[in-house]
Amino acid sequence: MDRFRQPAQAIVAGFGAAVATGTALLSLPAATESGQRAAFLDALFTATSAVCVTGLVTVDTGGHWSLFGELVILGLIQVGGLGIMTMATLVAVLLSRRLGLRARMVAQAETKALRAADLRRVLRNVVLFSLIGEIAVAVVLTARFALAYGDPFGRAVYHGVFHSVAAFNNAGFALWPDSLVRFVGDPWIVMPICLAVIVGGLGFPVVFELARSWRRPRGWSVLTRVTLGVTAALLVGGTLVLTAAEWNNPATFGRLDPPDRWLAGFTAAVMPRSGGFNSVDVGQMRAESWLITDVLMFIGGGSAGTAGGIKVTTFGLLAFVIWAEMRGEKHVNVGHRRLPEATQRQAVAIALMGVGLVVAATFTLMALTAHGLDRVLFEVTSAFGIVGLSTGITADLPPAGRILLIVLMFAGRTGPLTVATALALRERVRRYQLPEERPIVG
């Protein structure tokens, strides 16, 4: 049978089944604090946001959902995060091998393994990587909640585990209605969460390569070089620009001491990677800060990780393509490696498809609501980039607007991976060439 001939179908079906299960569980009376059934659209929106590790919400997570409901959300976040990392990493392993890709995919469907040893090793490493990271951050958060804020040990553990899992999986769900605003100046809360967002967003292949050969950077792959380079540039640049833009804004950074302003600026630069937490009121930020955040959300994080967006790898490779074209070079080189033309076309296709989807969704949502372009574009980009940041209009959207965001979150989670996989697997060698003609460009 050919049901796994296209891995995209399996990825979409798996996430669709998880969303359906989560919606059913959150629709139970036991899932809400009031004991009443949640509205179907709220349950569907929350389940999609959790499985797609986004963080956009139409109701207050800590106030609306019961303990059972919060545990369902936590489980959906873990399933969504582990699921995407496992699927993305397995696809990366498949596509990195040049021997019979199609045959390997079909064989996996029949035998339930790529190679038994390879599959077990990949799955084990992904799970261990996730669990160790989550436990380490949870320990720090638990200690801080218990010692500095006087939370009972049980509550401190629960808060620590919940926000650690949400951060490492780049989900952005918080149990407080103001997210992390109350902890804006507390580095023992904010920094572990930021670190979890960064590490989870790098992608398993990059982290695993760093663990193996961090002392030999000259031997790093193009993926690792580009991911680390672009990530560092975006974090530094984002911190400087956002801190400068908000420095004197009394509604955000202006009320803070200088060290806390820099901490808030760093947090504001990290969270658009798909983290989704906020330590200041996003709705009170300046329009120029929203625009910079839009750009960061659209780019997203690393490939084969929990972050969304078009990926820093795509953005970085396109920058190398532009640089090579400006210099008049025939080939695109990254370090000591030449970039295949097929990879260049895939990067262009993913970026342009992302732009088209965001523009179309922005136009549609503006037609459905009375909100201005800046707020609507922010909301749409946040949904597409599975970030979870919002200027505060999510709960006010009409049903059609919420459904649009649901579609965007699902497309933003499954789309880049499935499109990249489909493009890579459709690559074929043409046995003839047509006559060349150069049209006018520009």
PDB file of all heavy atoms in Angstrom, residues 388-407:
ATOM      1  N   GLY A 388       2.423  32.401  19.854  1.00  0.00           N
ATOM      2  CA  GLY A 388       1.552  32.546  21.008  1.00  0.00           C
ATOM      3  C   GLY A 388       1.494  33.933  21.582  1.00  0.00           C
ATOM      4  O   GLY A 388       0.694  34.195  22.488  1.00  0.00           O
ATOM      5  N   LEU A 389       2.323  34.855  21.110  1.00  0.00           N
ATOM      6  CA  LEU A 389       2.231  36.239  21.558  1.00  0.00           C
ATOM      7  C   LEU A 389       1.005  36.895  20.950  1.00  0.00           C
ATOM      8  O   LEU A 389       0.592  36.556  19.838  1.00  0.00           O
ATOM      9  CB  LEU A 389       3.485  37.020  21.153  1.00  0.00           C
ATOM     10  CG  LEU A 389       4.799  36.589  21.807  1.00  0.00           C
ATOM     11  CD1 LEU A 389       5.971  37.355  21.198  1.00  0.00           C
ATOM     12  CD2 LEU A 389       4.753  36.801  23.314  1.00  0.00           C
ATOM     13  N   SER A 390       0.424  37.847  21.670  1.00  0.00           N
ATOM     14  CA  SER A 390      -0.787  38.507  21.186  1.00  0.00           C
ATOM     15  C   SER A 390      -0.849  39.918  21.741  1.00  0.00           C
ATOM     16  O   SER A 390      -0.368  40.190  22.853  1.00  0.00           O
ATOM     17  CB  SER A 390      -2.036  37.728  21.605  1.00  0.00           C
ATOM     18  OG  SER A 390      -3.214  38.420  21.237  1.00  0.00           O
ATOM     19  N   THR A 391      -1.434  40.805  20.961  1.00  0.00           N
ATOM     20  CA  THR A 391      -1.661  42.167  21.441  1.00  0.00           C
ATOM     21  C   THR A 391      -2.948  42.256  22.241  1.00  0.00           C
ATOM     22  O   THR A 391      -3.331  43.345  22.674  1.00  0.00           O
ATOM     23  CB  THR A 391      -1.718  43.152  20.262  1.00  0.00           C
ATOM     24  OG1 THR A 391      -2.779  42.773  19.378  1.00  0.00           O
ATOM     25  CG2 THR A 391      -0.399  43.152  19.498  1.00  0.00           C
ATOM     26  N   GLY A 392      -3.621  41.127  22.446  1.00  0.00           N
ATOM     27  CA  GLY A 392      -4.813  41.093  23.282  1.00  0.00           C
ATOM     28  C   GLY A 392      -6.125  40.990  22.540  1.00  0.00           C
ATOM     29  O   GLY A 392      -7.192  41.165  23.142  1.00  0.00           O
ATOM     30  N   ILE A 393      -6.090  40.663  21.243  1.00  0.00           N
ATOM     31  CA  ILE A 393      -7.335  40.639  20.471  1.00  0.00           C
ATOM     32  C   ILE A 393      -7.862  39.226  20.240  1.00  0.00           C
ATOM     33  O   ILE A 393      -8.944  39.060  19.670  1.00  0.00           O
ATOM     34  CB  ILE A 393      -7.159  41.336  19.103  1.00  0.00           C
ATOM     35  CG1 ILE A 393      -6.223  40.526  18.202  1.00  0.00           C
ATOM     36  CG2 ILE A 393      -6.622  42.747  19.291  1.00  0.00           C
ATOM     37  CD1 ILE A 393      -6.141  41.070  16.786  1.00  0.00           C
ATOM     38  N   THR A 394      -7.131  38.196  20.680  1.00  0.00           N
ATOM     39  CA  THR A 394      -7.529  36.815  20.371  1.00  0.00           C
ATOM     40  C   THR A 394      -8.928  36.505  20.868  1.00  0.00           C
ATOM     41  O   THR A 394      -9.770  35.972  20.124  1.00  0.00           O
ATOM     42  CB  THR A 394      -6.535  35.818  20.988  1.00  0.00           C
ATOM     43  OG1 THR A 394      -5.207  36.194  20.650  1.00  0.00           O
ATOM     44  CG2 THR A 394      -6.798  34.412  20.474  1.00  0.00           C
ATOM     45  N   ALA A 395      -9.205  36.812  22.132  1.00  0.00           N
ATOM     46  CA  ALA A 395     -10.502  36.470  22.707  1.00  0.00           C
ATOM     47  C   ALA A 395     -11.637  37.293  22.115  1.00  0.00           C
ATOM     48  O   ALA A 395     -12.810  36.901  22.221  1.00  0.00           O
ATOM     49  CB  ALA A 395     -10.456  36.659  24.224  1.00  0.00           C
ATOM     50  N   ASP A 396     -11.328  38.424  21.481  1.00  0.00           N
ATOM     51  CA  ASP A 396     -12.367  39.288  20.915  1.00  0.00           C
ATOM     52  C   ASP A 396     -12.706  38.945  19.472  1.00  0.00           C
ATOM     53  O   ASP A 396     -13.625  39.549  18.898  1.00  0.00           O
ATOM     54  CB  ASP A 396     -11.916  40.766  20.979  1.00  0.00           C
ATOM     55  CG  ASP A 396     -11.687  41.231  22.409  1.00  0.00           C
ATOM     56  OD1 ASP A 396     -12.371  40.711  23.312  1.00  0.00           O
ATOM     57  OD2 ASP A 396     -10.821  42.104  22.618  1.00  0.00           O
ATOM     58  N   LEU A 397     -11.990  38.015  18.878  1.00  0.00           N
ATOM     59  CA  LEU A 397     -12.227  37.687  17.475  1.00  0.00           C
ATOM     60  C   LEU A 397     -13.554  36.964  17.311  1.00  0.00           C
ATOM     61  O   LEU A 397     -13.964  36.174  18.175  1.00  0.00           O
ATOM     62  CB  LEU A 397     -11.094  36.816  16.933  1.00  0.00           C
ATOM     63  CG  LEU A 397      -9.703  37.451  16.881  1.00  0.00           C
ATOM     64  CD1 LEU A 397      -8.676  36.437  16.379  1.00  0.00           C
ATOM     65  CD2 LEU A 397      -9.710  38.681  15.988  1.00  0.00           C
ATOM     66  N   PRO A 398     -14.248  37.172  16.198  1.00  0.00           N
ATOM     67  CA  PRO A 398     -15.481  36.427  15.931  1.00  0.00           C
ATOM     68  C   PRO A 398     -15.160  34.968  15.637  1.00  0.00           C
ATOM     69  O   PRO A 398     -14.002  34.618  15.391  1.00  0.00           O
ATOM     70  CB  PRO A 398     -16.048  37.139  14.688  1.00  0.00           C
ATOM     71  CG  PRO A 398     -14.853  37.712  14.011  1.00  0.00           C
ATOM     72  CD  PRO A 398     -13.915  38.114  15.112  1.00  0.00           C
ATOM     73  N   PRO A 399     -16.156  34.089  15.657  1.00  0.00           N
ATOM     74  CA  PRO A 399     -15.897  32.664  15.393  1.00  0.00           C
ATOM     75  C   PRO A 399     -15.123  32.416  14.105  1.00  0.00           C
ATOM     76  O   PRO A 399     -14.210  31.584  14.079  1.00  0.00           O
ATOM     77  CB  PRO A 399     -17.308  32.064  15.337  1.00  0.00           C
ATOM     78  CG  PRO A 399     -18.125  32.952  16.221  1.00  0.00           C
ATOM     79  CD  PRO A 399     -17.564  34.329  16.023  1.00  0.00           C
ATOM     80  N   ALA A 400     -15.457  33.121  13.042  1.00  0.00           N
ATOM     81  CA  ALA A 400     -14.737  32.921  11.780  1.00  0.00           C
ATOM     82  C   ALA A 400     -13.266  33.291  11.923  1.00  0.00           C
ATOM     83  O   ALA A 400     -12.389  32.629  11.350  1.00  0.00           O
ATOM     84  CB  ALA A 400     -15.388  33.757  10.670  1.00  0.00           C
ATOM     85  N   GLY A 401     -12.979  34.343  12.699  1.00  0.00           N
ATOM     86  CA  GLY A 401     -11.599  34.739  12.924  1.00  0.00           C
ATOM     87  C   GLY A 401     -10.839  33.703  13.734  1.00  0.00           C
ATOM     88  O   GLY A 401      -9.665  33.424  13.462  1.00  0.00           O
ATOM     89  N   ARG A 402     -11.496  33.110  14.724  1.00  0.00           N
ATOM     90  CA  ARG A 402     -10.839  32.074  15.523  1.00  0.00           C
ATOM     91  C   ARG A 402     -10.568  30.837  14.684  1.00  0.00           C
ATOM     92  O   ARG A 402      -9.513  30.203  14.814  1.00  0.00           O
ATOM     93  CB  ARG A 402     -11.710  31.720  16.730  1.00  0.00           C
ATOM     94  CG  ARG A 402     -11.945  32.889  17.685  1.00  0.00           C
ATOM     95  CD  ARG A 402     -12.699  32.446  18.926  1.00  0.00           C
ATOM     96  NE  ARG A 402     -13.072  33.581  19.758  1.00  0.00           N
ATOM     97  CZ  ARG A 402     -13.606  33.459  20.966  1.00  0.00           C
ATOM     98  NH1 ARG A 402     -13.832  32.263  21.479  1.00  0.00           N
ATOM     99  NH2 ARG A 402     -13.920  34.539  21.659  1.00  0.00           N
ATOM    100  N   ILE A 403     -11.510  30.480  13.837  1.00  0.00           N
ATOM    101  CA  ILE A 403     -11.303  29.325  12.955  1.00  0.00           C
ATOM    102  C   ILE A 403     -10.132  29.581  12.013  1.00  0.00           C
ATOM    103  O   ILE A 403      -9.322  28.682  11.749  1.00  0.00           O
ATOM    104  CB  ILE A 403     -12.596  29.031  12.158  1.00  0.00           C
ATOM    105  CG1 ILE A 403     -13.690  28.539  13.113  1.00  0.00           C
ATOM    106  CG2 ILE A 403     -12.339  27.991  11.069  1.00  0.00           C
ATOM    107  CD1 ILE A 403     -15.047  28.372  12.463  1.00  0.00           C
ATOM    108  N   LEU A 404     -10.014  30.798  11.523  1.00  0.00           N
ATOM    109  CA  LEU A 404      -8.883  31.145  10.675  1.00  0.00           C
ATOM    110  C   LEU A 404      -7.567  30.953  11.418  1.00  0.00           C
ATOM    111  O   LEU A 404      -6.596  30.415  10.856  1.00  0.00           O
ATOM    112  CB  LEU A 404      -9.020  32.593  10.194  1.00  0.00           C
ATOM    113  CG  LEU A 404      -7.851  33.136   9.360  1.00  0.00           C
ATOM    114  CD1 LEU A 404      -7.698  32.336   8.071  1.00  0.00           C
ATOM    115  CD2 LEU A 404      -8.063  34.621   9.048  1.00  0.00           C
ATOM    116  N   LEU A 405      -7.510  31.387  12.680  1.00  0.00           N
ATOM    117  CA  LEU A 405      -6.284  31.209  13.456  1.00  0.00           C
ATOM    118  C   LEU A 405      -6.011  29.732  13.726  1.00  0.00           C
ATOM    119  O   LEU A 405      -4.841  29.308  13.745  1.00  0.00           O
ATOM    120  CB  LEU A 405      -6.382  31.969  14.784  1.00  0.00           C
ATOM    121  CG  LEU A 405      -6.384  33.499  14.714  1.00  0.00           C
ATOM    122  CD1 LEU A 405      -6.291  34.085  16.121  1.00  0.00           C
ATOM    123  CD2 LEU A 405      -5.241  34.012  13.859  1.00  0.00           C
ATOM    124  N   ILE A 406      -7.049  28.946  13.925  1.00  0.00           N
ATOM    125  CA  ILE A 406      -6.877  27.497  14.110  1.00  0.00           C
ATOM    126  C   ILE A 406      -6.218  26.891  12.877  1.00  0.00           C
ATOM    127  O   ILE A 406      -5.263  26.100  12.969  1.00  0.00           O
ATOM    128  CB  ILE A 406      -8.233  26.818  14.396  1.00  0.00           C
ATOM    129  CG1 ILE A 406      -8.737  27.204  15.790  1.00  0.00           C
ATOM    130  CG2 ILE A 406      -8.117  25.300  14.276  1.00  0.00           C
ATOM    131  CD1 ILE A 406     -10.147  26.734  16.089  1.00  0.00           C
ATOM    132  N   VAL A 407      -6.722  27.266  11.709  1.00  0.00           N
ATOM    133  CA  VAL A 407      -6.143  26.763  10.455  1.00  0.00           C
ATOM    134  C   VAL A 407      -4.697  27.222  10.315  1.00  0.00           C
ATOM    135  O   VAL A 407      -3.815  26.448   9.905  1.00  0.00           O
ATOM    136  CB  VAL A 407      -6.985  27.238   9.257  1.00  0.00           C
ATOM    137  CG1 VAL A 407      -6.306  26.854   7.941  1.00  0.00           C
ATOM    138  CG2 VAL A 407      -8.386  26.639   9.312  1.00  0.00           C
TER     139      VAL A 407
END
